[in-house]
Amino acid sequence: MSTAITDAATVTRVPVTGKEKRLLRHAMMPHMLCPGCGHGIILDAMLSVLSERYDNLDNVAFVAGIGCSSRIIGYIDACTLHTTHGRPLSFATGLKLARPELTVIVITGDGDGLSIGGNHLIHAARRNIDLTCVLLNNEIYGMTGGQAAPTTVLGAYTTTTPQGNTQHSFDAAELAKAAGATFVARAQSYRPQVFGEVFGQALDHVGFSFIEVMSDCTEYFGRTNRFGGGADMLMSQARYEPSIDADLARRPTVEPIADAQPVRPVLPTGLLYRSSRLTLEETMGIKGARSSEVNETGQYSTDQGRDA
Amino acid sequence: MRLIQGNEACAEGAIAAGCRFFAGYPISPSSEIAEAMARLLPKHGGVFLQAEDEMASLGAVLGASLGGARAMTATSGPGFSLMQEHIGYAYLAEIPCVVVDVMRGGPSTGLPTLPSQGDVMQAQWGSHGDRAAVALAPSSVQEVYDLTIQAFGLAESLRTPVTVLFDEVVGHMREGVELNSPDPRSIGSRPRPTQPPGASFEPYRANEALVAPLPDFGRGYRFHVTGLMHDERGFPTTDTSIVAALLERLEKKVQVVTELVEPESYLMDDANLVIVSYGITGRTAKAAVDVLRSKGVKAGLWRPRLLWPVQDGLLKEALAKAEAVVVVEMNRGQWAREVERVAHNDALLHPLLKAGGAVITTEEVIDHALEVADGLPAAASRRVPLAEAVSWTEGKNQARMVVPASTTAKIGATEVDIEKKVGGE
């Protein structure tokens, strides 16, 4: 079922319809992302998906924390809530419980969602609250100047790891799955089409859906580790992703390549895990919430991504 | 009339004020508020969420509030510390909410089950940056009910976080309470935009009351909310003049509260010895005033129900005729600093301070006030500087609160007085 999104050869580019432009908050432009940053690609892909579904985003709320990733919600013409560092999921939980009819999308980063906000991530997943969380992982703290993040791989250079990172990194997707997320996917800024596909599925999924997006930070992660510019970093995502069917439990590690720089070897991407259970709204008996029964109508089944 | 606990009265007041969302994390001595909300909210179509920590509690409250719900959380010292970032966020982003802090002894884990009034300064200054806090201080179970209702009214109509601050004794004390249906005016309402949704809507353009109308999320108004400094569109800005104007507006906006919350004045007309106290110690002091009057001391009580912002004008008026001012509080001198600031005359001040978890008894207030009264009008020479003020009654609590010898030595001129007090009891 999910083979289409797994085959790199079939993925070319996001169709440019121009529809997504009307969902932008033009008054907020110009944006603050660096040249070569992958976050804008994901913003564009996200709006493309939403523009196929909605004429406007009156009933979609974006909630984000602090960091480069979180700033992208400011460019979306919706109700956008730019919260405190690490806490967007807590704000989103309150908003969703008070207004279950709204589509709530949380944008977070690897520092925001896995370090300072790690507790909120695992509890949102545990509760299976019906919202979508997109975590843009650029493997570094970009906004504060390139410090090591909990996703920075072992050995990588950052401004706080001048001799190379000595801490192991998180596998965000594995963490979300273990904590109880009922939809887990991983995408890359290199293949916005894959992101678009899993993002659409995540919106349809009733329950806590989590997408980790491997993005790139050219200014800090790329420069410090001599990965080249934005295009080089995107190409590195392509080179080291031969299959999405690899073991989800496999952690990103550093393996030396020809030029002896640390890189991620293989990261499974695409839909990684899917299951169905009652959402927080259902267990609380909140009126106006979606029913998780649709998850089980045959449209979805558990672990398809891994069987593909 | 019902016999209930202060914490239960807080929950009842919240429900009566229309609160339909509560998120909280267990902590003594405030947990009964969460327990009562868990019981009451489903009956009123509301949502109770036990959150993973206090930051998540207030975060969820703010999210629910933007969705349109009247929302509250309750906690105690350590949790109040954790909430400070979100209190600052709510202030700057102008999101209505009520935060209840049932004070226990601190700092740190401190005294989870013993009372204190040690979070008074934290309620104003706990969050970083300049912020004009609003904090109410009930002294009885009835007042917990009434002031919780008023807290919602102020939070909603002013778009700002409001703290309800009481201590473990008020929280756990049981008294008869009239659960009156609140006056709709005291419940207040959120100012709403009059213009229809559209690109020209500016979520932070204030009205004549300096409050910006707030639509709910998901009702057609698409807008941005951020904890960054922002312009009237809600967009981030570092324009220093815009930021300065915003901070000024936010501070001015809440000043109206000083006209909306009545202090209690008891036998103040001819009083030359004015006791200033709030919360549970305000009640202790009131009983003491009656005894002092029977002994011929012209004592009076001024009890603020609003601790922040300070009602400078009313306090100044209350102190105008005073020859001595006794500030009674269960901490090492927090609100006393505000009284000192407003009085602007150190010679008047004779604080009775006590930290360590024991309540201040009526007898202690009487003893202290009599001592002060004896010395009038020469009381000035017997003054203990605030910074070095030590509870006059520590002698009674040697086991709980030991005063190191060096403390008395440093006090210098007042050493004899202190020693006499500590040693003589």
Side-chain angles (χ1 to χ4, degrees):
Chain A
M1 146 60 203
S2 55
T3 47
I5 62 168
T6 69
D7 184 354
T10 66
V11 176
T12 50
R13 61 185 179 84
V14 175
V16 180
T17 63
K19 274 196 205 167
E20 71 278 5
K21 282 186 185 161
R22 66 163 189 264
L23 302 183
L24 282 173
R25 185 179 270 148
H26 295 278
M28 190 77 104
M29 298 293 176
H31 64 76
M32 41 67 74
L33 299 171
C34 302
C37 173
H39 292 1
I41 297 171
I42 298 304
L43 172 61
D44 185 64
M46 203 153 53
L47 293 184
S48 294
V49 171
L50 291 168
S51 70
E52 294 297 323
R53 295 170 178 237
Y54 305 107
D55 289 333
N56 63 54
L57 299 179
D58 277 351
N59 294 310
V60 180
F62 283 85
V63 186
I66 297 294
C68 301
S69 56
S70 298
R71 288 293 285 268
I72 69 171
I73 67 162
Y75 309 113
I76 304 171
D77 188 18
C79 281
T80 48
L81 176 56
H82 180 224
T83 70
T84 52
H85 195 20
R87 323 289 173 206
L89 280 163
S90 66
F91 283 72
T93 299
L95 176 62
K96 182 67 180 176
L97 291 177
R99 297 289 299 283
E101 78 279 14
L102 296 182
T103 297
V104 177
I105 300 168
V106 172
I107 308 294
T108 185
D110 44 321
D112 194 64
L114 294 173
S115 192
I116 191 168
N119 197 28
H120 309 304
L121 175 63
I122 59 175
H123 287 280
R126 170 178 68 87
R127 295 182 184 116
N128 196 32
I129 185 164
D130 184 19
L131 52 79
T132 296
C133 176
V134 177
L135 185 150
L136 297 178
N137 178 1
N138 58 4
E139 300 170 86
I140 205 160
Y141 284 85
M143 189 156 273
T144 48
Q147 297 81 14
T151 45
T152 305
V153 293
L154 209 56
Y157 301 112
T158 71
T159 53
T160 49
T161 57
Q163 290 86 31
N165 185 22
T166 53
Q167 296 186 26
H168 289 290
S169 58
F170 255 136
D171 182 328
E174 178 76 2
L175 177 72
K177 173 176 174 283
T182 48
F183 180 104
V184 180
R186 188 183 280 118
Q188 300 169 311
S189 49
Y190 175 72
R191 292 190 175 81
Q193 183 105 341
V194 173
F195 171 79
E197 206 154 335
V198 292
F199 180 62
Q201 292 177 5
L203 293 177
D204 290 334
H205 178 79
V206 179
F208 186 75
S209 50
F210 179 81
I211 305 172
E212 178 188 17
V213 182
M214 300 310 297
S215 192
D216 64 293
C217 173
T218 59
E219 280 302 303
Y220 290 109
F221 197 69
R223 202 154 48 84
T224 316
N225 291 287
R226 295 184 191 148
F227 281 165
D232 300 314
M233 291 188 75
L234 291 178
M235 283 310 294
S236 82
Q237 291 184 354
R239 283 202 307 271
Y240 291 99
E241 192 241 350
S243 162
I244 69 151
D245 294 331
D247 184 2
L248 178 61
R250 188 160 166 185
R251 288 170 183 277
T253 54
V254 176
E255 288 177 11
I257 54 169
D259 56 359
Q261 296 299 330
V263 292
R264 283 168 277 111
V266 177
L267 273 183
T269 61
L271 178 59
L272 302 173
Y273 175 76
R274 182 160 50 186
S275 65
S276 187
R277 59 192 174 92
L278 292 177
T279 64
L280 178 65
E281 296 91 316
E282 287 175 300
T283 53
M284 279 187 164
I286 290 174
K287 292 188 186 112
R290 296 195 296 177
S291 166
S292 62
E293 278 178 27
V294 300
N295 290 344
E296 297 171 323
T297 57
Q299 191 183 353
Y300 301 113
S301 68
T302 306
D303 264 1
Q304 271 182 334
R306 304 183 69 184
D307 299 332
Chain B
M1 176 165 290
R2 276 176 57 196
L3 181 69
I4 57 172
Q5 210 182 40
N7 283 343
E8 291 168 316
C10 178
E12 293 284 355
I15 295 290
C19 176
R20 293 299 176 265
F21 186 91
F22 181 99
Y25 185 80
I27 187 167
S28 300
S30 76
S31 297
E32 294 87 358
I33 299 175
E35 291 166 2
M37 291 305 272
R39 200 170 60 240
L40 292 170
L41 273 170
K43 292 180 195 163
H44 292 85
V47 174
F48 170 87
L49 175 73
Q50 181 165 331
E52 57 271 28
D53 58 37
E54 285 88 348
M55 288 164 286
S57 302
L58 189 47
V61 160
L62 298 179
S65 181
L66 281 172
R70 285 173 176 243
M72 175 173 97
T73 185
T75 187
S76 183
F80 197 48
S81 295
L82 290 174
M83 287 180 184
Q84 292 300 326
E85 188 186 7
H86 282 170
I87 291 175
Y89 183 90
Y91 177 76
L92 185 67
E94 300 182 72
I95 306 174
C97 65
V98 172
V99 178
V100 180
D101 175 24
V102 186
M103 292 180 282
R104 68 193 218 185
S108 191
T109 311
L111 295 165
T113 58
L114 292 179
S116 137
Q117 291 172 332
D119 303 351
V120 166
M121 275 291 165
Q122 189 188 19
Q124 165 57 69
W125 299 116
S127 183
H128 58 279
D130 287 300
R131 178 172 65 95
V134 178
L136 303 172
S139 70
S140 67
V141 177
Q142 181 69 55
E143 222 168 67
V144 169
Y145 179 78
D146 295 337
L147 290 185
T148 302
I149 292 170
Q150 190 169 14
F152 274 95
L154 298 174
E156 294 288 321
S157 56
L158 292 172
R159 258 188 93 166
T160 199
V162 174
T163 300
V164 183
L165 208 56
F166 49 96
D167 63 86
E168 185 274 338
V169 175
V170 174
H172 284 158
M173 177 167 61
R174 286 179 189 276
E175 293 185 292
V177 181
E178 294 287 356
L179 301 178
N180 300 315
S181 300
D183 178 341
R185 280 172 305 176
S186 69
I187 290 181
S189 64
R190 223 173 259 202
R192 300 297 196 177
T194 48
Q195 71 173 103
S200 65
F201 171 68
E202 295 185 326
Y204 290 93
R205 180 174 289 280
N207 61 22
E208 62 285 350
L210 304 179
V211 185
L214 174 64
D216 298 341
F217 265 25
R219 306 259 188 234
Y221 294 88
R222 300 192 291 269
F223 61 103
H224 189 56
V225 176
T226 178
L228 286 165
M229 291 297 170
H230 45 268
D231 59 21
E232 291 179 330
R233 298 172 301 173
F235 295 176
T237 182
T238 51
D239 182 320
T240 52
S241 59
I242 292 177
V243 173
L246 172 61
L247 289 174
E248 188 180 347
R249 175 175 70 79
L250 293 178
E251 190 175 309
K252 281 186 175 168
K253 175 180 81 167
V254 303
Q255 297 308 314
V256 68
V257 177
T258 60
E259 296 161 26
L260 301 174
V261 184
E262 287 275 309
E264 180 186 7
S265 289
Y266 183 63
L267 303 181
M268 282 291 291
D269 286 349
D270 63 341
N272 66 348
L273 189 152
V274 174
I275 301 179
V276 176
S277 192
Y278 54 88
I280 190 65
T281 52
R283 287 177 80 178
T284 307
K286 190 174 182 179
V289 165
D290 287 334
V291 176
L292 290 165
R293 284 274 169 176
S294 74
K295 292 178 184 292
V297 177
K298 287 184 180 174
L301 170 72
W302 194 79
R303 180 174 69 85
R305 293 183 175 94
L306 179 72
L307 294 182
W308 305 110
V310 177
Q311 291 162 306
D312 283 14
L314 295 175
L315 178 55
K316 199 168 271 180
E317 221 171 87
L319 302 182
K321 282 182 274 179
E323 292 169 44
V325 179
V326 173
V327 182
V328 184
E329 56 182 342
M330 279 192 288
N331 55 45
R332 295 190 66 87
Q334 297 196 13
W335 217 67
R337 290 167 197 268
E338 292 301 309
V339 178
E340 187 182 31
R341 175 180 64 78
V342 172
H344 212 67
N345 179 1
D346 289 357
L348 286 176
L349 301 172
H350 304 267
L352 174 61
L353 311 171
K354 191 172 179 181
V359 293
I360 298 175
T361 65
T362 304
E363 289 70 29
E364 286 166 344
V365 179
I366 294 166
D367 287 352
H368 178 68
L370 282 175
E371 190 78 26
V372 171
D374 281 351
L376 290 178
S381 64
R382 304 157 56 82
R383 188 180 67 80
V384 178
L386 254 183
E388 293 171 348
V390 178
S391 168
W392 290 100
T393 56
E394 274 162 6
K396 290 182 181 172
N397 291 296
Q398 292 282 357
R400 281 192 183 152
M401 189 165 160
V402 179
V403 184
S406 60
T407 306
T408 52
K410 266 191 287 182
I411 294 174
T414 56
E415 184 180 352
V416 179
D417 283 359
I418 296 278
E419 275 187 349
K420 195 176 72 188
K421 286 285 167 198
V422 174
E425 306 269 354

